[in-house]
Structure formats: C-alpha cells, structure tokens
C-alpha cells in the first residue's frame, strides 16, 4: 500500500538555511506519496530523463488510471502524477515496476540523475551507456539507498548545461575522460571514462560517511571543513585536481530542431558554455495574439484575457533541412494526456525514445528529414507545445500554487499566464510561498507571492539582489517582471 508522507522541508533558498536531517526524508516517490490539497502526489524518477516509448506509454496509463489526467515535469527531468486517490494502493507501483520504471524499491528516491538531453544527437558525446551503468550501480549499492531524494548526480556531455545545475556529484565528458566534480566547488578530477560511473558512486558513498555527524542532505549543506575533507579524500583516489569553474547559467535546449554541428564546445578549463545556435524551429503560421493552438489548461491560464496579445504562441519559422532531434518546451511543465500521447507516438515513429529535460522540456531524438521535422513540429505546436524560442511561454515556470497547494498564497500559474510578454533574456519562476518548490538554478528572476503582493529578485547561483515589492496590481506586476527578465548582463 502506498503511504502518505509529511510535507516537504523548506528550500535552502528560504530563511531556514541549509537543509539538515532533522526529520525523515520528505521527498516524494512512487511508494510514498506527498499529501496535497488536490490529492496525493507521486514523483517518478527517470534517470537522465530518458524514456523509451513503452515506458512513456506506462506513464500515460498511470496518469489516466490513477491521477488527474495530467503529467507534470520537474526541474530534474522527472515526472509527477497529481490527484492520486487512496484507492490506487499498490496498483501504481505494480504498473511502474512492470514497465521497468521501478527497478529497486529501496532506491526509488535515490535515482536522481540528470544528463545533457542533446548528448550524442548534435555532435556531442553520447552518454547513454554511462547513464545506464551509473543507475545500475546506484541500485546495486546498499549504502546508496540512504541517499536523500534531494541528492543529485549529473552527467554533462561537455557543454556545461547540467554542470550548471549544482549537482552533488557531476561527471563532465572531456575527450576520452570524465572530469569529476564534488558539490559546487571549482576543482575537478580527471578520471578515465570507463571509471566514471563507479567513481561517481564512490563519491556519493563517501558523502554519506561524511554526513553522519552533520545530518546534511547534500554536499553543499556540509560544514566547510567537512566538505573540504570530502573533496580532498575523493580527489586523492581520483587523481590530480584541475581548476574548472562551474558554469553560472544552465542553458536549456532551444525549442526547434537540432542536428550534428550544433553542439556547444566549452573552452578547456573555463567551464563556461557559449550561446548555442541550434537549427530553426518550424511551426504553422497563426494569427497574432491567437491562443487557439493552446489546450484549455494553458489557454485560460490568464483569467483576464488571452495568454498574450503581442505574439502567437509559436511564431512561424523557416522549415529545417534535416534534424537529428526536435526539442519542445512545455508551458508550466503541465502535459495533458493528449499531448503526452502525441509525443509518445512521435517518439515511436522516429527515434523510439523521449528525453525529459531539467528545464521542463522534451527532446525527441530522430533522425528526421526536413519534411518530417516540419510536420512533427507543426503537430506539436498545434497541440499547445512550445516549438519556437520566441514563444512568450519560453523560460516561464511556476510551482503548483493554489488550489493544489495549501501553503501557496496565490494562484501563481494563472498570474504567470496573465503576466506573459515577449520572451525575456532571463527565465522567471513564480512561487506561491517562500519554499519555492521546483525553482531553477543558476541565473533567474524569482517572483514570490507574499501577503502584501509579490517580491521580485534577481538570483545568480547562491546570490540574490535586493528584492522589489509590487503590491496587488496585475499591470504593474507584469511590467516589473518583464523589466527584470530583460536585465542586461
């Protein structure tokens, strides 16, 4: 039987400071559910975000049979099912286990692995074998079952996208080797590629030993001397240290087409990824201001009128010549059964898999001819998905807010829709309370509902600028958010 869980602990961004083990691990899974106002919540771990078409079908069945008919993408490339009832019992776990989505009950919340979603598709190194090996090693380790649901592994193909997410253990592809990073530090250790997954597991097990006295959930929560000793001990077994600053900003794949030659190359030792220039997306032309292509859940997110009156959801683009993969973003990370079914069918027709990204998007591997890419993107755009980087929804995120969460002070998803404007340089994330569940990493605009209105601040990693407060004025709030997102470097 699935068990209800206590409410989650505060985000480290909140005034509570570092998250320590002063209680049970409150991160939800598929065997222990989180209580919410709209029913129970299950979080299904999808290591690296990689789903075969068959496993995607299983999630579709789970959402339709047990949940509220939507699938919610998380900031770690996982899937949440909401609106679950007590009657689902062991049926959900049985369905997921039968599809291979629950290989180890003891490790279900420890399988937190993000990976570069375009790895192997645009000229970058493939990571599939190493990802599968790391997941298998985690599931085979008795010690790893004690990792919290917050602990995070990352496999970066060298472009710096998931390296920027601040994982606890990161492997960065670098020629015939991996660079191993522990926590947020700038030191990395060069190891042979074949030894990468096992070195990552050993680092996680070393963290568990180091955290016994402090009660830390994550590497960054360790006391400074303990964290330094952990990095030293791991490095002593791995090899000499190299200086490679972690990238400041995590850059998601742009919506549209991607192919060989689009991969970002980082300057050796810099850790900074330049801007990518992917192939253009393609979507059928729509009337400016129309939201007819959006499903009802997104079209009516703005209670005051159309979602955006200055640009269509997917401005028309030039059809591509060919593509190795398509990338789409998902408005507010919410997918209807129809949208998920279309994505699964597209995957089954072409590359056979979906890759969920840590930015609440989806990559569909191909290959595609130019005509096939245009047709597929057109169908996905018509279903309400984001296929162009110029969409007003690009970079906009929000927590579940009211009415799904009792702690939320506002219906932040509706507010985010009401405040839509031209795509900004910086992503923006709307939170209904100080917990900021699901917030992004790196550089972003933080909008938090308060009893007096909304507080807006610019976040850069662990730093944030002094906030500006906007009282209950929707027009002023939209203008302030737009100005913040347009902020220059």
């Amino acid at each position: 039987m699935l068990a209800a869980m206590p409410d989650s602990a505060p985000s480290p961004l909140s005034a509570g400071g570092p998250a320590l083990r002063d209680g049970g691990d409150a991160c939800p899974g598929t065997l222990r559910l989180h209580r919410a106002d709209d029913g129970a919540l299950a979080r299904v771990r999808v290591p690296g975000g990689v789903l075969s078409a068959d496993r995607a079908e299983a999630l579709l069945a789970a959402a339709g049979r047990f949940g509220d008919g939507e699938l919610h993408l998380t900031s770690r490339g996982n899937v949440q099912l909401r609106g679950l009832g007590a009657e689902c019992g062991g049926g959900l776990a049985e369905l997921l286990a039968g599809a291979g989505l629950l290989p180890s009950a003891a490790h279900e919340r420890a399988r937190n692995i993000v990976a570069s979603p375009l790895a192997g598709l645009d000229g970058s190194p493939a990571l599939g074998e190493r990802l599968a090996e790391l997941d298998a090693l985690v599931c085979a380790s008795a010690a790893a079952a004690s990792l919290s649901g917050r602990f995070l592994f990352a496999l970066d193909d060298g472009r710096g996208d998931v390296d920027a997410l601040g994982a606890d253990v990161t492997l960065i592809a670098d020629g015939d080797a991996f660079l191993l990073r522990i926590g947020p530090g700038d030191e990395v250790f060069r190891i042979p590629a074949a030894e990468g997954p096992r070195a990552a597991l050993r680092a996680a097990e070393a963290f568990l030993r180091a955290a016994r006295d402090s009660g830390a959930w994550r590497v960054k929560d360790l006391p400074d001397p303990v964290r330094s000793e952990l990095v030293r001990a791991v490095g002593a077994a791995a090899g000499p240290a190299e200086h490679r600053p972690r990238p400041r900003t995590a850059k998601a794949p742009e919506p549209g087409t991607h192919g060989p030659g689009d991969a970002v190359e980082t300057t050796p030792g810099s850790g900074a990824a330049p801007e990518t220039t992917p192939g253009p997306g393609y979507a059928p032309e729509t009337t400016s201001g129309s939201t007819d292509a959006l499903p009802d859940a997104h079209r009516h997110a703005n209670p005051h009128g159309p979602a955006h009156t200055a640009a269509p959801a997917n401005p028309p683009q030039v059809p591509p010549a060919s593509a190795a993969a398509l990338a789409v973003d998902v408005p507010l990370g919410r997918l209807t059964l129809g949208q998920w079914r279309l994505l699964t069918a597209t995957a089954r027709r072409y590359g056979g898999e979906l890759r969920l990204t840590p930015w609440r998007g989806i990559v569909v591997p191909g290959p595609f001819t130019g005509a096939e890419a245009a047709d597929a993107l057109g169908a996905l755009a018509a279903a309400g998905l984001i296929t162009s980087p110029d969409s007003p929804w690009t970079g906009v995120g929000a927590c579940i807010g009211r009415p799904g969460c009792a702690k939320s002070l506002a219906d932040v998803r509706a507010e985010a829709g009401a405040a839509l404007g031209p795509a900004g340089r910086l992503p923006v994330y709307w939170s209904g309370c100080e917990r900021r569940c699901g917030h992004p990493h790196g550089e972003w605009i933080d909008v938090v509902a308060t009893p007096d209105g909304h507080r807006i601040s610019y976040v850069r990693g662990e730093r944030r600028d002094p906030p500006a407060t906007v009282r209950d004025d929707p027009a002023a709030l939209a203008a302030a958010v737009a100005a913040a997102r347009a902020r220059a470097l």
Side-chain angles (χ1 to χ4, degrees):
M1 181 70 77
L2 301 179
M5 297 185 63
D7 292 330
S8 302
S11 161
L13 275 174
S14 68
L20 304 179
R21 295 181 184 243
D22 54 0
D25 183 1
C27 286
T30 56
L31 300 179
R32 295 178 63 201
L33 307 184
H34 171 79
R35 293 190 301 266
D37 274 16
D38 58 352
L41 176 154
R43 183 176 298 157
V44 184
R45 265 63 179 192
V46 184
V50 178
L51 278 173
S52 67
D54 287 344
R55 290 178 178 176
E57 290 276 11
L59 286 171
L60 177 71
R65 188 182 310 171
F66 301 113
D68 62 2
E70 291 188 334
L71 298 99
H72 299 251
L73 305 185
T74 78
S75 59
R76 291 184 169 190
N78 296 318
V79 174
Q80 288 188 167
L81 306 176
R82 303 188 67 95
L84 300 169
E87 73 280 1
C88 68
L92 175 62
E94 182 179 357
L95 188 158
L96 297 177
L101 288 163
L102 189 58
S104 171
H107 297 82
E108 63 133 349
R109 290 181 292 159
R111 300 171 65 228
N112 291 301
I113 309 173
V114 295
S116 297
L118 289 172
L121 298 174
D122 59 355
S124 58
L127 298 174
E129 291 184 8
R130 304 304 182 197
L131 172 64
E133 183 182 357
L134 176 57
D135 185 32
L137 287 170
V138 169
C139 289
S141 167
S146 299
L147 291 170
S148 82
R150 307 177 192 191
F151 194 91
L152 182 63
F153 295 93
L155 272 69
D156 192 292
D157 64 6
R159 78 186 70 216
D161 55 353
V162 296
D163 186 19
L165 297 180
D168 297 281
V169 177
T170 302
L171 290 173
I172 308 159
D174 191 66
D176 60 354
F178 273 122
L179 303 178
L180 174 65
R181 188 190 306 279
I182 309 301
D186 290 341
E187 283 186 328
V188 296
F189 304 95
R190 183 174 296 274
I191 55 178
E195 298 178 13
R198 191 164 296 278
L201 175 64
R202 285 197 298 263
E205 293 173 339
F207 161 77
L208 288 171
R209 294 190 293 271
R212 284 173 183 164
D213 294 333
S214 67
W217 294 111
R218 303 195 60 189
V219 170
K220 67 180 182 179
D221 300 327
L222 290 169
D224 289 345
V226 178
R227 184 169 63 249
S228 297
E229 175 59 23
L230 170 65
V231 174
R232 187 204 65 77
V234 171
E242 300 180 18
H243 184 73
R244 183 180 176 118
R246 191 179 62 168
R248 183 179 71 177
T249 301
K251 183 168 178 58
E254 286 192 344
T257 62
H258 296 263
D262 291 340
V264 174
E265 293 184 3
T266 58
T267 302
S270 72
E275 296 289 309
T276 60
T277 308
Y282 172 76
E285 187 168 357
T286 59
T287 303
S288 179
S290 171
T291 59
D292 290 343
L294 292 174
D296 289 344
H298 306 313
R299 189 186 312 130
H300 301 305
N302 179 354
H304 308 292
H308 183 53
T309 57
N314 288 295
Q317 304 289 325
V318 177
S322 64
L326 308 180
V328 298
D329 286 343
V330 179
L332 301 181
R334 293 166 60 187
L335 286 153
T336 65
L337 296 182
Q339 290 172 323
W340 189 269
R341 187 177 293 111
L342 175 61
L343 284 160
T344 302
T346 305
R348 196 176 292 283
R349 182 177 179 183
Y350 296 102
E353 72 178 27
L354 298 173
R355 298 186 184 183
L356 315 182
T357 80
W359 304 279
R360 297 180 173 88
I362 298 180
V363 169
V364 186
F368 301 84
T369 66
E372 289 170 340
D375 288 346
L377 282 174
L380 293 168
L385 298 173
I386 301 168
T387 61
S388 165
D390 297 326
S391 166
W393 284 103
T394 298
V396 178
C399 71
I400 196 66
R402 286 182 178 172
C405 177
K407 290 183 171 60
S408 180
L409 299 178
D411 183 351
V412 287
R413 294 193 170 213
E415 291 178 336
L420 281 180
R425 187 187 75 82
L426 295 173
V428 59
Y429 195 79
W430 298 69
S431 299
C433 73
E434 298 289 350
R435 299 159 75 87
R436 299 175 173 86
C437 296
H439 68 79
H441 296 271
E443 188 182 19
W444 51 290
I445 299 302
D446 181 32
V447 182
V448 180
T450 70
D452 300 321
H454 294 77
R455 190 170 62 248
I456 304 172
S457 54
Y458 170 44
V459 179
R460 291 161 292 171
E462 301 300 320
R463 299 178 297 168
R464 64 175 56 241
D465 283 3
T469 299
V470 178
R471 305 299 176 185
D472 291 324
D473 183 338
L477 178 61
V481 170
R485 295 190 68 195
R487 180 179 182 133
L489 286 169

